[in-house]
Amino acid sequence: MKLVNPANKRKFSAIVVGSGLAGASAAASLAELGYNVSCFCYQDSPRRAHSIAAQGGINASKNYQNDGDSTWRLFYDTIKGGDFRSREANVYRLAQVANNIIDQCVAQGVPFARDYGGLLDNRSFGGAQVSRTFYARGQTGQQLLLGAYSALSRQVGRGQVKMYPRTEMLELVVVDNRARGIVVRNMVTGQISSHAADVVILATGGYGNVFYLATYAKGSNATAAFRCYRKGALLANPCFTQIHPTCIPVSGDYQSKLTLMSESLRNDGRIWVPKNVGDKRHPGEIPEEERDYYLERKYPSFGNLAPRDISSRSAKEVVDEGRGVGETGVGVYLDFADAIQRLGKSVIEERYGNLFQMYERITGEDPYTVPMRIFPASHYTMGGLWVDYNLESTIPGLFVAGEANFSDHGANRLGASALMQGLADGYFVIPYTIGDYFVRVGVSDIKADHEEFKKTEREVEDRMKKLLSINGKRSPATFHRALGKIMWEKCGMGRNEGGLKEALRDIPALREEFWQDLKVTGDNEELNQQLEMAGRVADFLDIGEVMCHDALDRAESCGAHFREEYQTEEGEALRNDKDYCHVSAWEYTGDGRPPALHKEPLVFENVELATRSYK
């Protein structure tokens, strides 16, 4: 990496879109180095970024328990957890800097849990046989974000960062084949404006709300990333979407989102269903010999801490067999009776108290006396914009951090590694790679009054007018729900050729109906959440189609991508390393035309490709 002289850093400017863990840490770190930073978020404060919803913890290989952990083991567990579909070099770097993240956050005052002697505590998570997850009860994401926010606020106070809250990025501006800025909409006044900089860093999270019902915040969307895709950034592995096994089940059509129950609960909770089909007895009335602890039975080495993709599919299997629980029959039990008897209620309360309170408020059931009911739901996207080792996309000057990029997790993300990646990218990768880019290209003389900015503003305004002028009969939410149903049924936990081809017929038909029968009330010169949603749903329709193209092309099962035609006799994912050991990067080719596929071969020099086994 080439370096920028400290006195020259003040000459360069950076735009950071997003203020979650990846965005806030990147903005604070760049400003600390002396760069001029503008940070944009659609929330009223960076503290409300969706990173606060992460509950369970953050991984690092400190090996405090002396149970055999190391940088190598963290690297290998992450590669294996992703079913050997991630880039080896990126994952090793992630494992290398993980310990530094913990030190950084402790220095910021993040209140990690401590053991009896006062040292940082750890707990286990899925896909690992060591205790490496640092946590702050069930609110780790919130505490880490407060640490990053404090660093960001310091730079705002110094004048090195200018914050733009309640502002949504609607378009990327590319001049001379370089990202030079963005066009945004003030979500309160509707004003469209342009902002120029030497570099644009996208840290806008994932696109999992394409499924409509998901654990994401309702505001989480794919618009910023998808606008970049349409400007030439490749979209990598979009079909790799994670379904989290530990969510509160759907209870009715009135729901607009789902709630996650932390994977950390699987440390002490045992997952089971009745052995008999159609057994609707109260769980307390079902004796031990008539319960099927199916994860412990199928995966004795990992048990209830099997990786998320395997645990999710196993839950779907028992429900499909007719052994699901609850009024809908779509759920399984997460039972803490054994742990409470072994450890005492006070210990469980200390570890998971806020999660138990949240569950009781939502369901009206006391998980200390009645087993929780859980079922898989959309939670995270391993796919995202393609980036190189320096986190630069195929558009020079556009860098992508955190969940918005594809780089680290392969076909399945292990628990407690999202926070790790977001902070690694923001604190320890972007500050180095941005400097190297600045040295190579120099200071930009492009300002926001450049004709390309004006042209892009007109495109954004025309799109707003088009959405407002359709004046049909259906709200944006009805189209979003319809899309989510297609995606969940045809491109969800299980996919097959027939279903994906149906989806590729159904989504264009739904899109055509959207642009003919959409109803958006109000206008653009005011706070208009229907207009915001309409633009986001339009992009979800397009990204859902690319996801189905990717899932159809990848004729194998790997990680969270489970093509039903490709499975072993035991029902496990069947990879095809000969034909699909690559990153699938898709290029936008124009409206109405299928995207073009580019392949980046995955070369493993330090690990051997192997069939995943958690038995």
Side-chain angles (χ1 to χ4, degrees):
M1 295 288 101
K2 296 182 183 299
L3 300 176
V4 179
N5 182 303
N8 287 336
K9 286 175 181 169
R10 68 177 71 99
K11 299 176 182 177
F12 293 97
S13 59
I15 285 173
V16 179
V17 186
S19 62
L21 282 180
S25 59
S29 299
L30 292 173
E32 182 74 33
L33 289 170
Y35 297 112
N36 300 297
V37 180
S38 298
C39 186
F40 296 79
C41 68
Y42 65 74
Q43 299 92 351
D44 52 7
S45 165
R47 289 174 297 172
R48 294 182 63 83
H50 186 55
S51 297
I52 68 164
Q55 299 166 341
I58 177 170
N59 289 330
S61 55
K62 291 280 195 181
N63 196 32
Y64 286 158
Q65 270 70 21
N66 198 28
D67 55 0
D69 204 3
S70 64
T71 297
W72 172 266
R73 190 174 292 276
L74 174 55
F75 156 70
Y76 185 77
D77 284 349
T78 306
I79 286 280
K80 177 185 175 183
D83 215 351
F84 301 91
R85 288 294 177 262
S86 50
R87 192 188 287 145
E88 196 179 61
N90 288 67
V91 178
Y92 193 77
R93 178 177 63 189
L94 177 65
Q96 280 182 305
V97 304
N99 290 346
N100 296 341
I101 297 171
I102 303 303
D103 296 340
Q104 170 93 356
C105 295
V106 169
Q108 290 173 336
V110 173
F112 287 121
R114 304 270 174 167
D115 64 17
Y116 181 75
L119 301 176
L120 295 181
D121 202 4
N122 291 122
R123 57 188 176 198
S124 302
F125 250 66
Q129 291 180 304
V130 296
S131 295
R132 65 159 65 105
T133 303
F134 296 79
Y135 65 99
R137 295 190 77 184
Q139 47 184 265
T140 314
Q142 180 174 350
Q143 298 302 330
L144 291 172
L145 185 63
L146 287 172
Y149 175 69
S150 66
L152 177 62
S153 296
R154 177 172 180 269
Q155 299 304 324
V156 172
R158 293 179 62 226
Q160 286 297 117
V161 175
K162 180 164 178 149
M163 278 301 307
Y164 293 87
R166 304 298 297 274
T167 306
E168 184 169 23
M169 171 184 162
L170 295 180
E171 198 59 82
L172 179 74
V173 180
V174 179
V175 183
D176 299 331
N177 194 38
R178 276 175 55 194
R180 305 286 185 144
I182 60 175
V183 173
V184 302
R185 177 179 180 269
N186 183 307
M187 295 165 64
V188 177
T189 66
Q191 179 184 3
I192 306 296
S193 60
S194 293
H195 301 265
D198 296 298
V199 71
V200 176
I201 301 162
L202 207 67
T204 51
Y207 49 87
N209 266 342
V210 70
F211 292 99
Y212 185 70
L213 287 177
T215 66
Y216 288 78
K218 285 300 292 179
S220 299
N221 65 86
T223 287
F226 197 73
R227 296 287 107 193
C228 295
Y229 163 74
R230 290 175 67 96
K231 283 291 177 75
L234 299 186
L235 186 60
N237 298 337
C239 78
F240 289 168
T241 54
Q242 181 162 87
I243 310 299
H244 196 295
T246 317
C247 303
I248 298 178
V250 177
S251 57
D253 288 340
Y254 58 85
Q255 278 184 278
S256 61
K257 80 175 299 294
L258 296 173
T259 303
L260 172 72
M261 298 309 296
S262 170
E263 181 174 310
S264 63
L265 294 170
R266 294 200 279 155
N267 274 291
D268 291 305
R270 299 180 70 192
I271 296 172
W272 64 275
V273 292
K275 286 185 177 178
N276 300 320
V277 172
D279 190 339
K280 295 299 182 184
R281 286 179 292 174
H282 186 276
E285 298 174 355
I286 301 176
E288 194 73 15
E289 62 271 15
E290 295 181 33
R291 300 180 179 188
D292 180 13
Y293 296 91
Y294 56 89
L295 288 177
E296 298 173 28
R297 169 174 55 82
K298 292 171 66 176
Y299 309 103
S301 293
F302 284 76
N304 297 300
L305 289 174
R308 290 176 177 180
D309 57 322
I310 289 173
S311 301
S312 294
R313 282 198 299 275
S314 297
K316 182 178 185 295
E317 285 172 11
V318 296
V319 166
D320 289 347
E321 291 169 3
R323 296 193 286 144
V325 303
E327 290 184 11
T328 64
V330 182
V332 300
Y333 287 129
L334 178 61
D335 195 339
F336 291 87
D338 284 356
I340 291 172
Q341 184 176 9
R342 184 179 73 253
L343 302 170
K345 180 180 176 181
S346 61
V347 173
I348 298 301
E349 192 171 15
E350 183 179 344
R351 290 178 181 176
Y352 313 112
N354 60 316
L355 297 171
F356 276 47
Q357 289 172 6
M358 184 168 67
Y359 181 87
E360 185 172 9
R361 286 175 184 170
I362 292 171
T363 66
E365 299 172 0
D366 178 10
Y368 290 105
T369 57
V370 179
M372 288 184 180
R373 288 174 294 107
I374 58 169
F375 196 67
S378 168
H379 176 64
Y380 189 89
T381 56
M382 285 73 67
L385 294 182
W386 184 92
V387 290
D388 63 13
Y389 186 69
N390 293 342
L391 304 187
E392 188 174 12
S393 73
T394 44
I395 300 176
L398 174 65
F399 289 75
V400 191
E403 189 180 358
N405 74 34
F406 89 101
S407 65
D408 292 354
H409 305 298
N412 174 64
R413 177 176 70 76
L414 292 184
S417 61
L419 304 182
M420 177 173 63
Q421 186 213 347
L423 292 180
D425 288 355
Y427 283 137
F428 298 109
V429 180
I430 287 286
Y432 288 95
T433 60
I434 288 291
D436 184 73
Y437 174 80
F438 286 150
V439 171
R440 286 188 284 112
V441 303
V443 179
S444 169
D445 58 355
I446 302 294
K447 305 300 180 189
D449 58 359
H450 187 278
E451 178 54 35
E452 191 63 34
F453 282 88
K454 300 303 179 186
K455 176 187 170 187
T456 307
E457 281 187 25
R458 290 192 292 271
E459 291 172 359
V460 169
E461 288 168 352
D462 289 345
R463 183 176 171 85
M464 297 292 104
K465 290 175 183 175
K466 185 176 180 180
L467 290 167
L468 287 162
S469 66
I470 298 170
N471 201 28
K473 297 178 180 177
R474 293 182 59 182
S475 70
T478 63
F479 287 103
H480 194 181
R481 185 184 289 275
L483 172 65
K485 186 175 182 181
I486 295 170
M487 295 301 298
W488 183 253
E489 292 178 355
K490 307 293 170 57
C491 197
M493 271 194 284
R495 300 103 184 257
N496 58 60
E497 182 179 1
L500 289 165
K501 287 182 176 178
E502 284 180 20
L504 288 171
R505 291 192 296 270
D506 294 345
I507 294 172
L510 183 64
R511 182 193 299 112
E512 185 175 351
E513 189 176 351
F514 174 89
W515 288 107
Q516 291 179 353
D517 200 25
L518 175 70
K519 176 73 172 181
V520 178
T521 58
D523 56 45
N524 188 37
E525 283 71 47
E526 61 181 359
L527 176 67
N528 191 336
Q529 292 185 312
Q530 272 208 333
L531 180 60
E532 295 165 23
M533 184 184 293
R536 296 167 186 174
V537 172
D539 290 325
F540 277 134
L541 285 162
D542 291 342
I543 204 168
E545 189 171 11
V546 183
M547 287 169 61
C548 291
H549 277 293
D550 188 37
L552 183 61
D553 176 80
R554 188 171 284 274
E556 67 163 353
S557 289
C558 57
H561 169 65
F562 192 72
R563 279 285 295 270
E564 294 165 354
E565 306 96 319
Y566 307 100
Q567 54 181 299
T568 66
E569 291 182 0
E570 294 82 24
E572 303 293 346
L574 185 62
R575 285 201 329 261
N576 178 351
D577 293 331
K578 179 176 177 291
D579 299 317
Y580 294 99
C581 192
H582 62 249
V583 176
S584 295
W586 296 88
E587 179 186 4
Y588 174 70
T589 59
D591 289 340
R593 289 187 287 185
L597 175 61
H598 302 268
K599 298 177 182 179
E600 176 200 341
L602 291 170
V603 179
F604 293 92
E605 300 174 349
N606 298 286
V607 299
E608 292 184 11
L609 286 168
T611 300
R612 275 200 313 172
S613 174
Y614 291 94
K615 296 180 179 180

